[in-house]
Amino acid sequence: VRKMLHTLSVPIIQAPMAGGVSTPALAAAVSNAGGLGFLAGGYKTAEEMRKEIAAVRELTDKPFGINVFVPGEEDVDEKALLRYRQVLEKEAERFGVPLGEAKWDDDDWEAKLTVLYEEKVPVVSFTFGCPSSDIIAKLKDIGSFVIVTVTSPEEALIAAQAGADALCVQGPEAGGHRASFRNTDAVYESVSLLVLLQQIREVVDIPLIATGGIMHERDIAAVLAAGACAAQLGTAFLRCPESGANLLHKNALVDPQFQTTAVTRAFTGRPARGLVNRFLIEYDNLAPAAYPHIHHMTKHLRKAAAQANDPQMMSLWAGQGYRLAKDMPAGEIVRRLGEKVKEVIGEMMGCCDE
Amino acid sequence: VRKMLHTLSVPIIQAPMAGGVSTPALAAAVSNAGGLGFLAGGYKTAEEMRKEIAAVRELTDKPFGINVFVPGEEDVDEKALLRYRQVLEKEAERFGVPLGEAKWDDDDWEAKLTVLYEEKVPVVSFTFGCPSSDIIAKLKDIGSFVIVTVTSPEEALIAAQAGADALCVQGPEAGGHRASFRNTDAVYESVSLLVLLQQIREVVDIPLIATGGIMHERDIAAVLAAGACAAQLGTAFLRCPESGANLLHKNALVDPQFQTTAVTRAFTGRPARGLVNRFLIEYDNLAPAAYPHIHHMTKHLRKAAAQANDPQMMSLWAGQGYRLAKDMPAGEIVRRLGEKVKEVIGEMMGCCDE
């Protein structure tokens, strides 16, 4: 199992996307096509996670993965959080919903670890931190392949030393949450995925998965050239029929009124990249670092906005390459990209011979 | 000559670096090793440029290029410019030099075009804008291969329509000035080089040169996979013996006291990426968009800082991958990278066969 990534017939991993996007159907479709599908454990209870694992197993015999959020400590500026709450109250009133309680929680961490130990999922990845070496060792003992998501050489070193089998290297191009171990501003001046891959290759010698802005077969070939052994794609699967993304979110990706993405703490209190909409523009500079506090505070508001058909008030997570997202079955995306990656590499070889 | 880029035995272009870095010796060394060396016409008079062209021709029979800045209009906030001047006065006094006059100029544009028409340089590239289709046609008529540097799909379309033979696609990772046609803030939320290459491939069908953060053979292989026909490297040549960079600048690239790069208008009034030093930290948020006004205003101060051995007050241009810059003859860098790029592509091919 330590060779896990080399057994994939297509070097494509479907990124875990929490909040309902990553369904068992999506994960299974990707795995059945020769890639590696992923469930997103974040924001679910441990028991919901267990049910999704069972559901994927109904749909595929191939390996699949599950991602879990590592809880972190958060030193919150309570005054700034209260000010932000007061400003958002009027938006919530407009939709007739209350703001949620701005509380910390550990996303059911211990219970989720128990599920992981019991269910023996082929691949387990972590986001927002690095679990202890004991936890990683225990998962490896039961046969899971363990991936830690990192955003810097420092995090890469910590994860490699804790025993991770592979690292998922997330560039700042990525949609959704920045996976950094701490809730810092560093994302705003982060080096790009290509630069980050070389920086991390300088300090660790374990398999790297590249993620962030990867949509096209040429992006995949590029990160393989850069030394990654697989590419992880999230936004590329958002519009698939198997994706659980809200239809407004799917449509926004190809709607010319959304012209670009930006990184913001406005929705959850942690930096995350999404399409620039009214919520992001108006509240970006008011939102303090407070995760998952602001996630809980805004979740009813965002859900009500979706029900009211208002994409301007939803979190429309998207990576920088979002314009290339296709409404196509996930398995077909994996197969097509897989074939075209081989063509690109063949072309490069031809260039060398000339 | 339209096939210019395909005649290079190594797909490496040495980026033009104005301000004394790009010497005739550097350009000739790169061209002699099978890459494409470049002179930087910016900040020079047309006659100085002509002398450098002659100097390169003494050193190589191979093709080489020269880059020229396209003058732009600048709508300057004079009050903000005056405030910035007042703040910088005390720094200038400390070094015993006057601030320069904060004036606009066209960097000797017409006279430089005349030199280009007369000298028939094999490759001519432009930065900060797109020349008229008449100018491009005239350069092509006399046998020059014309490259326009672009930072967005919109700029790519303009340059292709104006008749450019190829585009140099600059990602936000790049050191030195952002080449955007206008002096906007867009660099702060620009998509990365890999994403930009695919966006531009969607709208134009002419050869693309990739630049920004490229240091390693794997970066070069990656941008070739991404569809570029060559990689342009600047920072990778900064520490070469042939580079005219100030020794303090060369040393800063490997000095642990400089931990990261950032984009700022502090030095020249136009966004440019450099090592984060005291000047950048203290003045970044005071500098208005005013180019080349602020360049002229700070140039004596920066020169005096260099003479006083104070790298904290100099512009230390550097791309995101700067840590990999090597003190090695330029020709050797080109030859080594060229060989290793072929190895990387060979490895990728091997992976596909398995």
Side-chain angles (χ1 to χ4, degrees):
Chain A
V1 75
R2 299 278 82 80
K3 290 270 169 197
M4 211 288 126
L5 295 168
H6 296 283
T7 66
L8 299 177
S9 61
V10 183
I12 293 176
I13 297 173
Q14 165 246 317
M17 292 173 280
V21 176
S22 291
T23 62
L26 179 60
V30 170
S31 288
N32 281 330
L36 183 70
F38 249 94
L39 292 172
Y43 303 144
K44 292 188 176 69
T45 63
E47 283 314 305
E48 286 167 341
M49 198 175 92
R50 194 195 297 272
K51 279 180 199 155
E52 291 209 345
I53 294 169
V56 176
R57 284 183 163 141
E58 289 288 314
L59 298 168
T60 185
D61 297 328
K62 298 286 181 68
F64 64 95
I66 187 154
N67 177 266
V68 173
F69 291 166
V70 180
E73 291 181 10
E74 193 81 347
D75 192 15
V76 171
D77 178 341
E78 296 289 348
K79 277 188 186 165
L81 185 58
L82 187 61
R83 273 196 303 273
Y84 189 37
R85 184 183 191 91
Q86 286 162 346
V87 170
L88 284 185
E89 291 281 10
K90 71 174 193 303
E91 299 282 1
E93 276 167 28
R94 209 161 54 80
F95 289 106
V97 292
L99 290 176
E101 187 191 346
K103 64 175 184 196
W104 182 88
D105 68 25
D106 71 356
D107 204 39
D108 218 8
W109 172 244
E110 293 294 339
K112 281 178 183 169
L113 287 178
T114 302
V115 170
L116 294 178
Y117 298 147
E118 289 170 3
E119 293 292 335
K120 300 180 173 56
V121 178
V123 180
V124 177
S125 77
F126 293 97
T127 294
F128 298 152
C130 184
S132 70
S133 51
D134 287 351
I135 292 171
I136 292 177
K138 197 160 169 186
L139 287 167
K140 287 165 77 171
D141 277 349
I142 61 166
S144 293
F145 184 88
V146 178
I147 299 168
V148 175
T149 314
V150 301
T151 63
S152 70
E154 294 73 24
E155 291 174 356
L157 209 53
I158 291 168
Q161 285 170 349
D165 287 305
L167 305 179
C168 179
V169 176
Q170 187 200 44
E173 301 90 340
H177 278 112
R178 182 80 173 152
S180 53
F181 292 2
R182 290 186 306 147
N183 187 351
T184 69
D185 287 327
V187 62
Y188 297 101
E189 254 308 326
S190 172
V191 300
S192 77
L193 178 59
L194 269 190
V195 177
L196 185 60
L197 283 168
Q198 298 323 313
Q199 287 184 349
I200 289 180
R201 287 181 71 256
E202 295 269 312
V203 295
V204 301
D205 189 24
I206 60 176
L208 304 181
I209 297 155
T211 196
I214 303 175
M215 304 292 291
H216 193 278
E217 60 268 18
R218 290 193 173 275
D219 299 327
I220 299 171
V223 297
L224 296 178
C229 59
Q232 182 169 296
L233 289 67
T235 309
F237 291 107
L238 263 182
R239 297 183 64 221
C240 294
E242 298 93 341
S243 150
N246 186 286
L247 189 61
L248 296 167
H249 187 177
K250 291 184 179 191
N251 291 343
L253 295 168
V254 288
D255 182 340
Q257 79 169 299
F258 298 106
Q259 284 285 326
T260 187
T261 66
V263 171
T264 185
R265 287 196 176 97
F267 298 105
T268 71
R270 230 190 194 273
R273 183 178 295 281
L275 296 176
V276 173
N277 62 1
R278 187 169 78 78
F279 196 115
L280 195 153
I281 293 168
E282 293 195 9
Y283 301 115
D284 176 55
N285 60 3
L286 287 172
Y291 180 87
H293 309 69
I294 295 176
H295 162 76
H296 292 305
M297 195 165 91
T298 66
K299 63 187 178 186
H300 308 311
L301 169 57
R302 288 181 282 144
K303 195 173 175 186
Q307 282 164 353
N309 277 316
D310 184 359
Q312 297 294 342
M313 295 300 287
M314 298 163 60
S315 49
L316 303 171
W317 304 141
Q320 287 185 345
Y322 70 96
R323 274 284 186 253
L324 299 180
K326 289 190 172 50
D327 177 7
M328 192 185 283
E332 199 173 328
I333 290 180
V334 171
R335 279 184 294 269
R336 281 196 190 195
L337 286 175
E339 283 163 22
K340 289 183 182 171
V341 168
K342 287 188 186 180
E343 286 171 22
V344 170
I345 296 173
E347 272 175 40
M348 290 174 73
M349 202 63 195
C351 291
C352 274
D353 292 339
E354 273 163 32
Chain B
V1 76
R2 300 277 82 80
K3 292 268 168 200
M4 211 286 128
L5 295 168
H6 297 282
T7 65
L8 299 177
S9 61
V10 183
I12 293 176
I13 298 173
Q14 166 246 317
M17 293 173 280
V21 176
S22 291
T23 62
L26 179 61
V30 170
S31 288
N32 282 330
L36 183 71
F38 250 94
L39 292 171
Y43 303 143
K44 292 187 176 70
T45 64
E47 284 313 306
E48 285 167 341
M49 199 175 91
R50 194 195 298 273
K51 279 181 198 153
E52 290 209 346
I53 293 169
V56 176
R57 284 182 163 142
E58 289 288 314
L59 298 168
T60 184
D61 298 328
K62 297 286 180 69
F64 65 96
I66 187 154
N67 177 266
V68 173
F69 291 165
V70 180
E73 292 182 9
E74 194 81 347
D75 193 14
V76 172
D77 178 343
E78 296 289 348
K79 278 189 186 166
L81 186 58
L82 187 61
R83 273 196 304 273
Y84 189 37
R85 184 182 191 90
Q86 287 163 345
V87 171
L88 285 185
E89 290 281 9
K90 71 173 193 306
E91 298 283 0
E93 276 168 29
R94 210 161 52 83
F95 288 107
V97 292
L99 289 176
E101 187 191 347
K103 64 176 183 195
W104 182 88
D105 68 25
D106 71 356
D107 203 39
D108 217 7
W109 173 243
E110 293 295 339
K112 281 179 183 170
L113 287 178
T114 302
V115 171
L116 294 178
Y117 298 146
E118 290 170 3
E119 293 292 336
K120 300 181 173 57
V121 179
V123 179
V124 176
S125 77
F126 293 96
T127 293
F128 298 151
C130 183
S132 70
S133 52
D134 287 351
I135 292 170
I136 292 177
K138 196 160 171 185
L139 287 167
K140 287 165 78 171
D141 277 350
I142 61 166
S144 293
F145 184 88
V146 178
I147 299 168
V148 176
T149 314
V150 300
T151 63
S152 70
E154 294 74 23
E155 291 175 356
L157 208 54
I158 291 169
Q161 285 170 350
D165 287 306
L167 305 179
C168 179
V169 176
Q170 187 199 45
E173 301 90 341
H177 279 111
R178 183 80 173 152
S180 52
F181 291 3
R182 289 186 305 147
N183 187 351
T184 69
D185 288 327
V187 61
Y188 298 101
E189 252 310 324
S190 172
V191 299
S192 76
L193 177 59
L194 269 190
V195 176
L196 185 60
L197 283 168
Q198 298 323 313
Q199 287 184 349
I200 289 180
R201 286 180 72 256
E202 295 270 311
V203 295
V204 302
D205 189 25
I206 60 176
L208 304 181
I209 297 155
T211 196
I214 303 175
M215 304 292 291
H216 194 278
E217 60 267 20
R218 291 194 172 274
D219 299 326
I220 299 170
V223 297
L224 296 178
C229 61
Q232 183 169 297
L233 289 68
T235 309
F237 292 107
L238 263 182
R239 297 183 64 220
C240 293
E242 299 93 340
S243 149
N246 186 288
L247 189 61
L248 295 168
H249 187 176
K250 291 184 179 191
N251 291 342
L253 294 168
V254 288
D255 182 339
Q257 78 170 299
F258 298 106
Q259 283 286 325
T260 187
T261 67
V263 172
T264 186
R265 286 196 177 97
F267 297 105
T268 71
R270 229 189 195 274
R273 183 178 294 282
L275 297 176
V276 173
N277 61 3
R278 187 168 78 77
F279 196 115
L280 195 153
I281 293 169
E282 293 195 10
Y283 301 115
D284 176 55
N285 60 2
L286 288 172
Y291 180 88
H293 308 70
I294 294 175
H295 162 76
H296 292 305
M297 195 167 91
T298 66
K299 64 188 179 187
H300 308 311
L301 170 56
R302 288 181 283 143
K303 193 172 177 185
Q307 283 165 351
N309 277 316
D310 184 358
Q312 296 295 340
M313 295 300 287
M314 298 164 61
S315 50
L316 303 170
W317 304 140
Q320 287 185 346
Y322 69 94
R323 274 283 186 253
L324 299 180
K326 290 189 173 49
D327 177 7
M328 192 185 283
E332 198 174 330
I333 289 180
V334 171
R335 278 185 294 270
R336 282 196 188 194
L337 286 175
E339 283 163 24
K340 288 183 183 172
V341 168
K342 288 188 186 182
E343 286 172 20
V344 169
I345 296 173
E347 271 175 40
M348 290 175 72
M349 202 63 196
C351 293
C352 274
D353 293 339
E354 272 164 31

